[in-house]
Amino acid sequence: MNDSTPAPRSRARVRAPELVGRGGWLNTGGESLTLAGLRGRIVILDFWTFCCINCLHVLDELRELEEKHRDTVVVIGVHSPKFVHEAEHQAVVDAVERYEVHHPVLDDPELATWKQYAVRAWPTLVVIDPEGYVVAQHAGEGHAGAIATLVAELEAEHGPKGTLRRGDGPYVPPEPVATHLRFPGKALPLPDGTFLVSDTTRHQLVRLAADGETVERRYGHGERGLADGPAQHARFSEPQGLALLPDGRVIVADTVNHALRTLDPESGEVATVTGTGAQWWQGSPTSGPAREVALSSPWDVAWWRGEVWIAMAGVHQLWAYDPAAGTVRVAAGTTNEGLVDGPAAEAWFAQPSGLAVAADGTRLWVADSETSSLRWVEPQDDDYAVRTAVGTGLFDFGHRDGEAGQALLQHPLGVTALPDGSVAISDTYNHALRRYDPAAGESGEVTTLATDLREPSGAVLAGEDIVVVESARHRLTRLRLPEQAVRVDAVAHRTRREATAIAPGSLRLDVVFRAPTGQKLDERYGPSTRLLVSATPPELLADGAGTGTDLSRTLTLDPSVTEGVLHVSAMAASCDDDPANDYPACHVHQQDWGVPVTVREGGADRLPLILAGMDEG
């Protein structure tokens, strides 16, 4: 549904369902919240899950809005898990602290509130007016400006009516905990035997002695920000990956600053070398001078074949930075989220989060977290190709050892190349260290090296030991590499969300997008919308797959396929509608959906997916 005209001021009156979650409330001082108790406030529900990079982007988008309208707006995170680990209450508690969520959070492990609001995608934002009615729904990123405009309208409407209640919100911060590290992300052994660790939640880098425990030095002010200079003044924002450059400097993936920084470990000087500090959006440059090209949540870095390779989690790609030339470019991936092998330019990734160069230098190993997979990049002709060692796609995960084709991981964030050509995998949501041996059997074998590690996010070699970053235990843990693997019971999972029943034959797909107030779709330079549709299995769609510019499309279903997943990716760019401004500001709205479907008689013949607005079809 593609409508460039402003939405009418009269809104559908849909009463907001109550908030229910078996995990209870966080950040409220032990109080349970109700919509009735919040009457008079503008409530923004943020349906999120902590594995999702797009959800983390939205947390950052909302910070300014929360601060500016703190006396009228209450943001409530509704944590709605994808992975089994995300349904654990303590994992949600950890995530709320890790990502500095400064508003109340409802832990909804059974997706009860998700179902009540008919949510189909992470992240989704729902706006509820002071009288308790839903007035807007937005899926994906880039909606903060539109929601800020709507909040101002609601304040102007309900203030004079006397239905707006101002005052302090219900957020109660948890008590701080004293530890040397707080949710560390990655580690790097330095030439002198010490370790550099990204102390992610404290926005610092920390140098530990060879024992992996004693703090020798901290780099960074400790407050979130983007500032270069000496160690005590420099600022980071949730740094993650670290790699040693040939000249002795360290390259840092400064994730939430969407930048690469360098650190001189001796002088402590920090400099920005890649990125603008702003997030990359569709249509932005994908190559050019490194300081002029935006990045999107770089999560890890590795020095390979004369370049810094970047796990660009925010756009499901790998990029490469050439320090000698001062340039950056896309190296692999299309920005579509999924698992597709082949030539680098055609491959699909899903939130790549860990990189490691093979011992012989011939491969770059990749932990592709959202597909729970281990993949690699290798030179091919004059370019590169992407292959998969372990993993099958977005919806299959678990803890299963054995032949690589049937082995399962759960949201791995780190990879470590071992001297014998095998790979250690920081299998984050399984709390385990796994090993893939490509030389065992026809396609390789997966074993378990260690269990009872709390959210391991990376590991490095130290002599005959491997040092694991136990992120949720706030420490480095040294393990002796075992000669024999640990035996564990196999557990397999498939992401289960309630399937949508659709009728056989033709299906009308409508992506609902209404340009926010004061904006319009700007078609002066061509279409400003994009729609990409595919399916798992591909045979589900007899017709209608592929890319187009219309946000509505008729799909033809194969009658022989009775269930599957529709993958839909939509983008719309709207610009400020001001005739007096020759250079209006433009805003990109984008979202990916994975919609489980069952095909049966009596099912729906229309599938609406809300990108922005309310479905009136």
Side-chain angles (χ1 to χ4, degrees):
M1 183 176 293
N2 183 346
D3 186 351
S4 61
T5 59
R9 294 302 89 206
S10 60
R11 301 185 181 97
R13 302 285 284 175
V14 178
R15 176 67 71 179
E18 194 49 83
L19 307 177
V20 179
R22 183 172 55 82
W25 289 89
L26 305 175
N27 285 355
T28 63
E31 297 295 321
S32 295
L33 304 184
T34 65
L35 289 180
L38 293 170
R39 194 65 53 81
R41 311 299 292 272
I42 301 165
V43 177
I44 300 174
L45 303 182
D46 175 17
F47 289 87
W48 70 298
T49 189
F50 63 78
C51 74
C52 161
I53 191 67
N54 311 93
C55 299
L56 304 186
H57 290 168
V58 167
L59 286 176
D60 291 314
E61 289 179 5
L62 290 175
R63 294 186 200 279
E64 182 179 348
L65 179 69
E66 288 182 88
E67 181 60 29
K68 183 177 179 180
H69 298 275
R70 60 191 308 172
D71 64 333
T72 59
V73 170
V74 175
V75 176
I76 293 177
V78 182
H79 189 267
S80 312
K82 171 186 174 181
F83 289 99
V84 170
H85 169 59
E86 293 176 302
E88 297 176 14
H89 182 69
Q90 185 57 48
V92 182
V93 173
D94 289 344
V96 167
E97 180 188 350
R98 180 195 301 265
Y99 298 116
E100 296 185 314
V101 180
H102 293 166
H103 52 245
V105 173
L106 175 65
D107 181 11
D108 183 18
E110 297 168 343
L111 303 181
T113 296
W114 166 288
K115 294 172 185 175
Q116 285 291 312
Y117 281 82
V119 175
R120 295 184 184 273
W122 297 279
T124 291
L125 297 170
V126 176
V127 182
I128 301 170
D129 74 10
E131 295 179 288
Y133 292 94
V134 174
V135 292
Q137 182 170 326
H138 302 266
E141 303 177 49
H143 302 292
I147 291 177
T149 299
L150 177 57
V151 166
E153 290 180 359
L154 291 172
E155 289 175 341
E157 175 184 342
H158 289 272
K161 287 172 59 177
T163 50
L164 181 68
R165 177 166 55 90
R166 296 179 180 270
D168 294 334
Y171 169 66
V172 178
E175 290 293 324
V177 181
T179 53
H180 289 316
L181 302 172
R182 205 69 191 162
F183 298 105
K186 306 287 185 182
L188 174 70
L190 296 175
D192 64 356
T194 60
F195 297 95
L196 188 68
V197 183
S198 53
D199 196 10
T200 304
T201 298
R202 293 208 176 109
H203 314 297
Q204 290 181 320
L205 307 179
V206 178
R207 189 168 184 162
L208 300 179
D211 62 6
E213 298 178 8
T214 305
V215 175
E216 290 192 348
R217 189 174 183 184
R218 292 184 177 272
Y219 305 91
H221 181 277
E223 295 292 332
R224 184 191 297 272
L226 177 58
D228 292 339
Q232 65 272 27
H233 298 300
R235 295 195 180 211
F236 299 94
S237 188
E238 298 182 29
Q240 286 280 349
L242 307 165
L244 195 63
L245 296 176
D247 63 7
R249 293 179 302 160
V250 174
I251 193 90
V252 182
D254 195 7
T255 304
V256 177
N257 277 328
H258 310 294
L260 297 190
R261 322 285 294 282
T262 56
L263 168 72
D264 184 327
E266 301 312 314
S267 70
E269 192 72 17
V270 174
T272 303
V273 293
T274 307
T276 63
Q279 183 182 340
W280 186 94
W281 290 100
Q282 290 286 352
S284 301
T286 56
S287 64
R291 289 302 310 276
E292 299 175 15
V293 177
L295 309 182
S296 181
S297 296
W299 207 274
D300 202 6
V301 282
W303 178 257
W304 188 49
R305 295 172 64 86
E307 294 180 295
V308 175
W309 284 66
I310 310 164
M312 201 72 77
V315 285
H316 317 300
Q317 291 179 311
L318 303 182
W319 288 41
Y321 161 57
D322 183 343
T327 57
V328 69
R329 64 184 175 88
V330 172
T334 64
T335 75
N336 295 320
E337 184 179 12
L339 194 157
V340 176
D341 288 341
E346 300 172 13
W348 291 22
F349 294 93
Q351 220 168 294
S353 302
L355 300 175
V357 179
D360 62 3
T362 59
R363 293 180 175 181
L364 179 69
W365 294 103
V366 183
D368 202 28
S369 63
E370 279 294 288
T371 54
S372 297
S373 66
L374 172 67
R375 308 177 72 185
W376 81 85
V377 181
E378 63 186 9
Q380 178 176 282
D381 300 326
D382 295 329
D383 198 5
Y384 295 91
V386 178
R387 310 287 183 227
T388 298
V390 182
T392 58
L394 287 165
F395 300 99
D396 293 294
F397 58 92
H399 192 153
R400 180 192 287 155
D401 288 337
E403 187 271 324
Q406 58 85 50
L408 293 173
L409 310 170
Q410 187 179 180
H411 198 80
L413 291 178
V415 283
T416 309
L418 301 180
D420 64 357
S422 65
V423 186
I425 307 162
S426 295
D427 194 5
T428 310
Y429 288 2
N430 279 327
H431 311 298
L433 189 68
R434 314 285 293 283
R435 176 175 178 257
Y436 167 69
D437 183 358
E442 292 185 6
S443 63
E445 183 181 25
V446 176
T447 53
T448 297
L449 298 178
T451 57
D452 193 31
L453 299 168
R454 189 68 184 172
E455 291 192 21
S457 55
V460 295
L461 294 176
E464 296 182 356
D465 297 339
I466 188 165
V467 177
V468 181
V469 181
E470 273 199 276
S471 188
R473 283 200 177 110
H474 320 292
R475 70 188 188 191
L476 302 188
T477 299
R478 185 181 294 264
L479 304 172
R480 179 58 54 92
L481 281 171
E483 295 181 2
Q484 293 183 332
V486 177
R487 304 296 298 180
V488 298
D489 294 330
V491 179
H493 301 286
R494 169 167 274 265
T495 296
R496 291 292 184 187
R497 280 179 286 144
E498 189 170 332
T500 298
I502 57 177
S506 294
L507 175 70
R508 183 66 176 177
L509 172 65
D510 287 328
V511 174
V512 177
F513 178 77
R514 299 186 70 83
T517 302
Q519 298 178 27
K520 66 176 182 178
L521 293 180
D522 189 349
E523 309 284 356
R524 290 176 297 174
Y525 306 107
S528 57
T529 56
R530 186 188 71 162
L531 179 65
L532 171 66
V533 181
S534 62
T536 302
E539 296 76 20
L540 176 64
L541 287 179
D543 189 45
T547 303
T549 58
D550 195 334
L551 293 182
S552 293
R553 186 182 302 180
T554 298
L555 310 178
T556 303
L557 307 174
D558 187 325
S560 67
V561 181
T562 59
E563 65 177 23
V565 178
L566 288 174
H567 304 283
V568 180
S569 177
M571 184 273 288
S574 58
C575 299
D576 293 345
D577 188 9
D578 181 0
N581 187 353
D582 292 332
Y583 303 100
C586 293
H587 315 269
V588 178
H589 316 267
Q590 60 187 39
Q591 176 58 26
D592 297 333
W593 293 267
V595 184
V597 297
T598 57
V599 183
R600 62 170 182 257
E601 294 294 339
D605 60 5
R606 176 177 177 265
L607 176 62
L609 300 176
I610 297 176
L611 180 59
M614 300 287 285
D615 179 30
E616 299 173 2

